[in-house]
Amino acid sequence: MESVLKVQNLGMNFGGLRALDDLDLDVCRNEIVALIGPNGAGKTTFFNCITGIYPPTDGDVFIFARGMDKPDRINGVKPNKVTEKGLARTFQNIRLFPNMTVLENVMIGRHCRMHAGVLGAILRGRSTIREEKKAVEDSYAILEKIGLAQFVDEFAKNLPYGAQRRLEIARAMATEPFLLLLDEPAAGMNPYETRELDELIKQIRDEEGISILLIEHDMKLVMSLSDRIFVVDYGKKIAQGTPEEIRNNPVVIKAYLGEEIDA
C-alpha cells in the first residue's frame, strides 16, 4: 500500500527523560490507524513531534503527499508549515475560539490556503473579495458534511460538547489535509456521541479520501474503526497489527485491555 506517513526510529528526550524511544510507525493512503497505550506512554508527544511542536531528538518523519516524486522529511518544520504540507490535527483538550461563530472557527482553518496577505486585506481588491467569498462557501460546505450547518451562526461556546468536538474536526478538515491526526476525539463523549463519531471518521476516510491517525482510549471505538493498531508503553512500541491481532496479543491483553474485550 502507498504510504502517506513514515516515522523511523523516532526519539524524544526531555532532559534525562526518554519520552519516545526508537519508535517506528506508518500510515497508508485511505487507512485508519490507531495509536494506543496507557497515560504517559508518549502518544501525545509523538503527535507533537510529527506536527512540529517538538523537534524530535533523533529519527526521521517523512510524509508522502499525493503527486510527490519523493518523500518530504519534516523534522523540525514549524507547525504552520506542517499544516500547509497537508497534516492537520485536533487536541486532547478542545481548542476552539469560544466567542467566534461556528462558521468563523472553520474559516480560520481555511487561512493556510488563502493568498491575499495583509496588503490584500487592506486594499480589498476583487481577488481578495472572491477568495473570502469562496472561504465562506467552502467552510459552510464542510459544516454540512460534518452535520453542523444548523449551528453556523452560533458561538462555539454555546454548542453541545459533542458538537464542539465535531467542530474541531471540521476546522482541521478546512486546511485540506491528506492526513488527519485526532488526539482522543471521543474523550468526554456519551455512547450516542461516540457512535456518531465512529460514523463521521469513517465518512471522512471514505468520502474525502483522508487518511487518519488517532489516539484513543475507547477500545470499542478503536476496534471498530482501525485498519491497524500500534501499541506503545514508556515511549516504546510493544505491538502492532490488525484489531484482531491486537485483541489476541497476550502482552496487550494483560497490560492494556484487560483479560477480554467486550466488542
Side-chain angles (χ1 to χ4, degrees):
M1 294 179 69
E2 183 183 1
S3 294
V4 296
L5 173 71
K6 189 176 289 291
V7 180
Q8 299 175 332
N9 309 118
L10 196 70
M12 184 69 214
N13 296 336
F14 295 103
L17 174 66
R18 185 73 166 167
L20 297 175
D21 189 7
D22 201 28
L23 190 59
D24 293 336
L25 182 148
D26 66 291
V27 180
C28 295
R29 198 166 304 282
N30 296 328
E31 187 178 34
I32 299 175
V33 172
L35 179 63
I36 68 171
N39 289 329
K43 303 182 299 297
T44 296
T45 298
F46 176 82
F47 267 26
N48 289 340
C49 284
I50 64 177
T51 56
I53 294 175
Y54 301 148
T57 305
D58 43 67
D60 294 298
V61 181
F62 296 101
I63 58 172
F64 303 79
R66 197 180 298 277
M68 287 175 57
D69 294 330
K70 59 182 181 179
D72 187 1
R73 185 175 182 269
I74 60 169
N75 293 50
V77 174
K78 292 183 182 299
N80 63 308
K81 295 299 182 182
V82 172
T83 302
E84 289 178 13
K85 288 175 179 289
L87 273 66
R89 70 172 292 182
T90 65
F91 291 85
Q92 200 170 342
N93 300 313
I94 296 174
R95 296 188 182 182
L96 297 172
F97 294 92
N99 293 314
M100 297 176 71
T101 68
V102 167
L103 181 64
E104 289 167 342
N105 268 272
V106 179
M107 287 178 65
I108 287 171
R110 294 295 308 153
H111 177 74
C112 69
R113 302 301 172 200
M114 298 175 73
H115 307 287
V118 175
L119 185 61
I122 294 171
L123 297 178
R124 304 290 297 160
R126 289 181 181 177
S127 62
T128 300
I129 293 171
R130 279 197 304 270
E131 191 173 53
E132 289 180 354
K133 183 174 183 290
K134 188 175 186 306
V136 171
E137 292 170 350
D138 290 346
S139 297
Y140 187 80
I142 291 169
L143 289 171
E144 285 190 312
K145 291 176 184 177
I146 295 291
L148 294 176
Q150 71 271 32
F151 298 117
V152 62
D153 294 321
E154 284 280 351
F155 289 123
K157 65 183 179 183
N158 295 333
L159 265 60
Y161 180 82
Q164 291 188 21
R165 283 279 181 191
R166 293 166 76 94
L167 177 56
E168 197 171 33
I169 293 173
R171 185 179 60 192
M173 287 180 61
T175 69
E176 299 180 10
F178 65 85
L179 176 61
L180 180 60
L181 288 77
L182 305 176
D183 193 347
E184 297 194 29
M189 286 188 172
N190 62 42
Y192 175 76
E193 291 168 334
T194 302
R195 285 194 299 272
E196 284 192 324
L197 178 67
D198 185 314
E199 294 171 2
L200 174 61
I201 292 173
K202 290 174 181 173
Q203 173 191 331
I204 292 170
R205 189 269 307 272
D206 296 340
E207 296 182 8
E208 306 301 322
I210 298 173
S211 305
I212 293 168
L213 174 61
L214 74 149
I215 295 169
E216 186 51 64
H217 286 290
D218 186 322
M219 286 299 105
K220 285 188 177 181
L221 182 65
V222 167
M223 294 296 170
S224 169
L225 280 175
S226 306
D227 298 303
R228 288 185 299 139
I229 300 170
F230 289 79
V231 187
V232 294
D233 189 20
Y234 295 106
K236 289 179 175 288
K237 182 176 67 179
I238 64 166
Q240 72 177 78
T242 65
E244 190 64 25
E245 289 168 340
I246 295 300
R247 187 196 309 271
N248 295 308
N249 185 308
V251 175
V252 177
I253 291 172
K254 182 177 180 181
Y256 305 109
L257 305 182
E259 292 305 315
E260 64 179 15
I261 303 170
D262 179 16

PDB file of all heavy atoms in Angstrom, residues 207-228:
ATOM      1  N   GLU A 207     -15.343   9.190   2.051  1.00  0.00           N
ATOM      2  CA  GLU A 207     -15.849  10.187   1.115  1.00  0.00           C
ATOM      3  C   GLU A 207     -14.825  11.254   0.758  1.00  0.00           C
ATOM      4  O   GLU A 207     -14.839  11.778  -0.368  1.00  0.00           O
ATOM      5  CB  GLU A 207     -17.105  10.859   1.685  1.00  0.00           C
ATOM      6  CG  GLU A 207     -18.275   9.896   1.877  1.00  0.00           C
ATOM      7  CD  GLU A 207     -19.521  10.581   2.403  1.00  0.00           C
ATOM      8  OE1 GLU A 207     -19.533  11.840   2.476  1.00  0.00           O
ATOM      9  OE2 GLU A 207     -20.480   9.867   2.755  1.00  0.00           O
ATOM     10  N   GLU A 208     -13.930  11.585   1.686  1.00  0.00           N
ATOM     11  CA  GLU A 208     -12.948  12.641   1.444  1.00  0.00           C
ATOM     12  C   GLU A 208     -11.578  12.096   1.068  1.00  0.00           C
ATOM     13  O   GLU A 208     -10.706  12.852   0.638  1.00  0.00           O
ATOM     14  CB  GLU A 208     -12.823  13.539   2.679  1.00  0.00           C
ATOM     15  CG  GLU A 208     -14.132  14.123   3.177  1.00  0.00           C
ATOM     16  CD  GLU A 208     -14.845  14.973   2.141  1.00  0.00           C
ATOM     17  OE1 GLU A 208     -14.149  15.699   1.404  1.00  0.00           O
ATOM     18  OE2 GLU A 208     -16.087  14.908   2.062  1.00  0.00           O
ATOM     19  N   GLY A 209     -11.373  10.790   1.262  1.00  0.00           N
ATOM     20  CA  GLY A 209     -10.077  10.206   0.934  1.00  0.00           C
ATOM     21  C   GLY A 209      -8.957  10.647   1.850  1.00  0.00           C
ATOM     22  O   GLY A 209      -7.792  10.672   1.442  1.00  0.00           O
ATOM     23  N   ILE A 210      -9.287  11.002   3.089  1.00  0.00           N
ATOM     24  CA  ILE A 210      -8.292  11.471   4.056  1.00  0.00           C
ATOM     25  C   ILE A 210      -7.870  10.300   4.944  1.00  0.00           C
ATOM     26  O   ILE A 210      -8.723   9.613   5.528  1.00  0.00           O
ATOM     27  CB  ILE A 210      -8.868  12.612   4.912  1.00  0.00           C
ATOM     28  CG1 ILE A 210      -9.238  13.815   4.028  1.00  0.00           C
ATOM     29  CG2 ILE A 210      -7.881  13.025   6.000  1.00  0.00           C
ATOM     30  CD1 ILE A 210      -9.970  14.921   4.765  1.00  0.00           C
ATOM     31  N   SER A 211      -6.572  10.065   5.046  1.00  0.00           N
ATOM     32  CA  SER A 211      -6.062   9.054   5.974  1.00  0.00           C
ATOM     33  C   SER A 211      -6.149   9.604   7.394  1.00  0.00           C
ATOM     34  O   SER A 211      -6.075  10.817   7.598  1.00  0.00           O
ATOM     35  CB  SER A 211      -4.616   8.704   5.631  1.00  0.00           C
ATOM     36  OG  SER A 211      -4.508   8.297   4.288  1.00  0.00           O
ATOM     37  N   ILE A 212      -6.276   8.703   8.366  1.00  0.00           N
ATOM     38  CA  ILE A 212      -6.497   9.145   9.752  1.00  0.00           C
ATOM     39  C   ILE A 212      -5.601   8.359  10.705  1.00  0.00           C
ATOM     40  O   ILE A 212      -5.484   7.135  10.613  1.00  0.00           O
ATOM     41  CB  ILE A 212      -7.976   8.967  10.149  1.00  0.00           C
ATOM     42  CG1 ILE A 212      -8.854   9.921   9.329  1.00  0.00           C
ATOM     43  CG2 ILE A 212      -8.183   9.211  11.646  1.00  0.00           C
ATOM     44  CD1 ILE A 212     -10.323   9.651   9.409  1.00  0.00           C
ATOM     45  N   LEU A 213      -4.955   9.103  11.594  1.00  0.00           N
ATOM     46  CA  LEU A 213      -4.188   8.527  12.700  1.00  0.00           C
ATOM     47  C   LEU A 213      -4.791   9.068  13.980  1.00  0.00           C
ATOM     48  O   LEU A 213      -4.880  10.285  14.152  1.00  0.00           O
ATOM     49  CB  LEU A 213      -2.714   8.917  12.588  1.00  0.00           C
ATOM     50  CG  LEU A 213      -1.790   8.520  13.752  1.00  0.00           C
ATOM     51  CD1 LEU A 213      -1.750   7.013  13.913  1.00  0.00           C
ATOM     52  CD2 LEU A 213      -0.377   9.068  13.519  1.00  0.00           C
ATOM     53  N   LEU A 214      -5.252   8.174  14.865  1.00  0.00           N
ATOM     54  CA  LEU A 214      -5.890   8.648  16.083  1.00  0.00           C
ATOM     55  C   LEU A 214      -5.302   8.005  17.324  1.00  0.00           C
ATOM     56  O   LEU A 214      -4.866   6.860  17.313  1.00  0.00           O
ATOM     57  CB  LEU A 214      -7.400   8.419  16.038  1.00  0.00           C
ATOM     58  CG  LEU A 214      -7.942   6.994  16.214  1.00  0.00           C
ATOM     59  CD1 LEU A 214      -9.318   7.028  16.876  1.00  0.00           C
ATOM     60  CD2 LEU A 214      -8.057   6.285  14.875  1.00  0.00           C
ATOM     61  N   ILE A 215      -5.296   8.809  18.382  1.00  0.00           N
ATOM     62  CA  ILE A 215      -5.025   8.350  19.739  1.00  0.00           C
ATOM     63  C   ILE A 215      -6.370   8.209  20.428  1.00  0.00           C
ATOM     64  O   ILE A 215      -7.196   9.124  20.372  1.00  0.00           O
ATOM     65  CB  ILE A 215      -4.162   9.363  20.510  1.00  0.00           C
ATOM     66  CG1 ILE A 215      -2.775   9.500  19.888  1.00  0.00           C
ATOM     67  CG2 ILE A 215      -4.052   8.981  21.985  1.00  0.00           C
ATOM     68  CD1 ILE A 215      -1.975  10.679  20.444  1.00  0.00           C
ATOM     69  N   GLU A 216      -6.616   7.076  21.070  1.00  0.00           N
ATOM     70  CA  GLU A 216      -7.926   6.895  21.691  1.00  0.00           C
ATOM     71  C   GLU A 216      -7.851   5.839  22.782  1.00  0.00           C
ATOM     72  O   GLU A 216      -7.131   4.839  22.660  1.00  0.00           O
ATOM     73  CB  GLU A 216      -8.962   6.492  20.630  1.00  0.00           C
ATOM     74  CG  GLU A 216     -10.392   6.424  21.126  1.00  0.00           C
ATOM     75  CD  GLU A 216     -10.820   7.682  21.864  1.00  0.00           C
ATOM     76  OE1 GLU A 216     -10.871   8.756  21.242  1.00  0.00           O
ATOM     77  OE2 GLU A 216     -11.082   7.565  23.087  1.00  0.00           O
ATOM     78  N   HIS A 217      -8.602   6.085  23.883  1.00  0.00           N
ATOM     79  CA  HIS A 217      -8.681   5.125  24.984  1.00  0.00           C
ATOM     80  C   HIS A 217      -9.944   4.268  24.926  1.00  0.00           C
ATOM     81  O   HIS A 217     -10.030   3.250  25.609  1.00  0.00           O
ATOM     82  CB  HIS A 217      -8.636   5.863  26.333  1.00  0.00           C
ATOM     83  CG  HIS A 217      -7.281   6.387  26.687  1.00  0.00           C
ATOM     84  ND1 HIS A 217      -6.232   5.569  27.032  1.00  0.00           N
ATOM     85  CD2 HIS A 217      -6.787   7.649  26.726  1.00  0.00           C
ATOM     86  CE1 HIS A 217      -5.158   6.297  27.288  1.00  0.00           C
ATOM     87  NE2 HIS A 217      -5.470   7.569  27.108  1.00  0.00           N
ATOM     88  N   ASP A 218     -10.923   4.676  24.126  1.00  0.00           N
ATOM     89  CA  ASP A 218     -12.163   3.903  23.996  1.00  0.00           C
ATOM     90  C   ASP A 218     -11.882   2.704  23.077  1.00  0.00           C
ATOM     91  O   ASP A 218     -11.832   2.829  21.859  1.00  0.00           O
ATOM     92  CB  ASP A 218     -13.273   4.795  23.416  1.00  0.00           C
ATOM     93  CG  ASP A 218     -14.627   4.107  23.385  1.00  0.00           C
ATOM     94  OD1 ASP A 218     -14.676   2.894  23.110  1.00  0.00           O
ATOM     95  OD2 ASP A 218     -15.641   4.790  23.615  1.00  0.00           O
ATOM     96  N   MET A 219     -11.716   1.533  23.678  1.00  0.00           N
ATOM     97  CA  MET A 219     -11.297   0.365  22.910  1.00  0.00           C
ATOM     98  C   MET A 219     -12.366  -0.128  21.943  1.00  0.00           C
ATOM     99  O   MET A 219     -12.043  -0.663  20.875  1.00  0.00           O
ATOM    100  CB  MET A 219     -10.883  -0.774  23.855  1.00  0.00           C
ATOM    101  CG  MET A 219      -9.545  -0.540  24.529  1.00  0.00           C
ATOM    102  SD  MET A 219      -8.187  -0.403  23.320  1.00  0.00           S
ATOM    103  CE  MET A 219      -7.896   1.366  23.373  1.00  0.00           C
ATOM    104  N   LYS A 220     -13.628   0.040  22.273  1.00  0.00           N
ATOM    105  CA  LYS A 220     -14.670  -0.345  21.326  1.00  0.00           C
ATOM    106  C   LYS A 220     -14.573   0.492  20.065  1.00  0.00           C
ATOM    107  O   LYS A 220     -14.702  -0.019  18.940  1.00  0.00           O
ATOM    108  CB  LYS A 220     -16.055  -0.191  21.968  1.00  0.00           C
ATOM    109  CG  LYS A 220     -16.390  -1.276  22.977  1.00  0.00           C
ATOM    110  CD  LYS A 220     -17.846  -1.167  23.414  1.00  0.00           C
ATOM    111  CE  LYS A 220     -18.209  -2.299  24.360  1.00  0.00           C
ATOM    112  NZ  LYS A 220     -19.629  -2.254  24.785  1.00  0.00           N
ATOM    113  N   LEU A 221     -14.341   1.784  20.232  1.00  0.00           N
ATOM    114  CA  LEU A 221     -14.192   2.672  19.081  1.00  0.00           C
ATOM    115  C   LEU A 221     -12.948   2.300  18.285  1.00  0.00           C
ATOM    116  O   LEU A 221     -12.989   2.226  17.049  1.00  0.00           O
ATOM    117  CB  LEU A 221     -14.120   4.125  19.546  1.00  0.00           C
ATOM    118  CG  LEU A 221     -14.005   5.184  18.449  1.00  0.00           C
ATOM    119  CD1 LEU A 221     -15.267   5.200  17.591  1.00  0.00           C
ATOM    120  CD2 LEU A 221     -13.755   6.565  19.046  1.00  0.00           C
ATOM    121  N   VAL A 222     -11.838   2.062  18.967  1.00  0.00           N
ATOM    122  CA  VAL A 222     -10.593   1.698  18.294  1.00  0.00           C
ATOM    123  C   VAL A 222     -10.768   0.428  17.474  1.00  0.00           C
ATOM    124  O   VAL A 222     -10.367   0.358  16.308  1.00  0.00           O
ATOM    125  CB  VAL A 222      -9.455   1.526  19.325  1.00  0.00           C
ATOM    126  CG1 VAL A 222      -8.234   0.848  18.694  1.00  0.00           C
ATOM    127  CG2 VAL A 222      -9.060   2.871  19.914  1.00  0.00           C
ATOM    128  N   MET A 223     -11.387  -0.589  18.075  1.00  0.00           N
ATOM    129  CA  MET A 223     -11.553  -1.865  17.377  1.00  0.00           C
ATOM    130  C   MET A 223     -12.523  -1.751  16.200  1.00  0.00           C
ATOM    131  O   MET A 223     -12.381  -2.435  15.186  1.00  0.00           O
ATOM    132  CB  MET A 223     -12.029  -2.936  18.358  1.00  0.00           C
ATOM    133  CG  MET A 223     -11.010  -3.285  19.421  1.00  0.00           C
ATOM    134  SD  MET A 223      -9.509  -4.026  18.708  1.00  0.00           S
ATOM    135  CE  MET A 223      -8.421  -4.050  20.133  1.00  0.00           C
ATOM    136  N   SER A 224     -13.500  -0.877  16.326  1.00  0.00           N
ATOM    137  CA  SER A 224     -14.476  -0.682  15.253  1.00  0.00           C
ATOM    138  C   SER A 224     -13.874   0.056  14.064  1.00  0.00           C
ATOM    139  O   SER A 224     -14.152  -0.274  12.906  1.00  0.00           O
ATOM    140  CB  SER A 224     -15.683   0.095  15.783  1.00  0.00           C
ATOM    141  OG  SER A 224     -16.525   0.524  14.727  1.00  0.00           O
ATOM    142  N   LEU A 225     -13.025   1.043  14.351  1.00  0.00           N
ATOM    143  CA  LEU A 225     -12.544   1.945  13.310  1.00  0.00           C
ATOM    144  C   LEU A 225     -11.289   1.474  12.596  1.00  0.00           C
ATOM    145  O   LEU A 225     -11.151   1.665  11.378  1.00  0.00           O
ATOM    146  CB  LEU A 225     -12.220   3.314  13.924  1.00  0.00           C
ATOM    147  CG  LEU A 225     -13.345   4.285  14.203  1.00  0.00           C
ATOM    148  CD1 LEU A 225     -12.795   5.515  14.923  1.00  0.00           C
ATOM    149  CD2 LEU A 225     -14.019   4.714  12.901  1.00  0.00           C
ATOM    150  N   SER A 226     -10.374   0.879  13.313  1.00  0.00           N
ATOM    151  CA  SER A 226      -8.987   0.812  12.864  1.00  0.00           C
ATOM    152  C   SER A 226      -8.736  -0.290  11.846  1.00  0.00           C
ATOM    153  O   SER A 226      -9.226  -1.409  11.973  1.00  0.00           O
ATOM    154  CB  SER A 226      -8.057   0.594  14.068  1.00  0.00           C
ATOM    155  OG  SER A 226      -8.279   1.574  15.051  1.00  0.00           O
ATOM    156  N   ASP A 227      -7.920   0.044  10.848  1.00  0.00           N
ATOM    157  CA  ASP A 227      -7.359  -0.973   9.967  1.00  0.00           C
ATOM    158  C   ASP A 227      -6.146  -1.619  10.622  1.00  0.00           C
ATOM    159  O   ASP A 227      -5.941  -2.825  10.511  1.00  0.00           O
ATOM    160  CB  ASP A 227      -6.942  -0.338   8.629  1.00  0.00           C
ATOM    161  CG  ASP A 227      -8.124   0.252   7.882  1.00  0.00           C
ATOM    162  OD1 ASP A 227      -9.078  -0.493   7.620  1.00  0.00           O
ATOM    163  OD2 ASP A 227      -8.099   1.456   7.578  1.00  0.00           O
ATOM    164  N   ARG A 228      -5.341  -0.797  11.310  1.00  0.00           N
ATOM    165  CA  ARG A 228      -4.187  -1.295  12.063  1.00  0.00           C
ATOM    166  C   ARG A 228      -4.072  -0.516  13.365  1.00  0.00           C
ATOM    167  O   ARG A 228      -4.544   0.618  13.464  1.00  0.00           O
ATOM    168  CB  ARG A 228      -2.889  -1.152  11.267  1.00  0.00           C
ATOM    169  CG  ARG A 228      -2.749  -2.100  10.100  1.00  0.00           C
ATOM    170  CD  ARG A 228      -1.391  -1.991   9.441  1.00  0.00           C
ATOM    171  NE  ARG A 228      -1.167  -0.654   8.901  1.00  0.00           N
ATOM    172  CZ  ARG A 228      -0.018  -0.007   8.979  1.00  0.00           C
ATOM    173  NH1 ARG A 228       1.026  -0.530   9.616  1.00  0.00           N
ATOM    174  NH2 ARG A 228       0.120   1.195   8.437  1.00  0.00           N
TER     175      ARG A 228
END
